[in-house]
Amino acid sequence: MARIEIESDVTGTVWKIEVKEGVSVSEGDTLIILESMKMEIPVLASDDGKVVEVMVEEEEPVSEGQIVVVLEA
């Protein structure tokens, strides 16, 4: 099985986590919603897989390029 690390595209704050560990997701599904500069920015699954780890918590600041979710494909 392949490990897929999903990264934040922007620096911001975790507004809402849409998935839990163990849940299956499809490519394009929203995993997390970030808030940056008063905008809501979704972090999407880049592939089909199963969520094995959510690396952040709601209201936590994140940096561009930071791994926020790990999938197993």
Side-chain angles (χ1 to χ4, degrees):
M1 296 227 159
R3 177 181 165 100
I4 302 167
E5 297 177 339
I6 308 297
E7 299 177 354
S8 171
D9 293 330
V10 297
T11 297
T13 304
V14 177
W15 182 68
K16 187 172 184 185
I17 298 173
E18 295 283 332
V19 294
K20 294 183 181 186
E21 293 175 8
V23 172
S24 293
V25 296
S26 298
E27 181 179 352
D29 285 355
T30 299
L31 305 175
I32 291 176
I33 300 173
L34 301 177
E35 189 269 326
S36 180
M37 299 177 64
K38 307 280 185 204
M39 296 177 58
E40 294 176 11
I41 301 158
V43 177
L44 307 177
S46 60
D47 212 330
D48 296 346
K50 182 185 206 177
V51 177
V52 291
E53 191 170 3
V54 177
M55 308 284 289
V56 293
E57 295 181 10
E58 289 184 0
E59 300 184 14
E60 181 179 332
V62 295
S63 300
E64 182 178 345
Q66 179 178 339
I67 298 168
V68 293
V69 176
V70 178
L71 302 177
E72 194 171 75

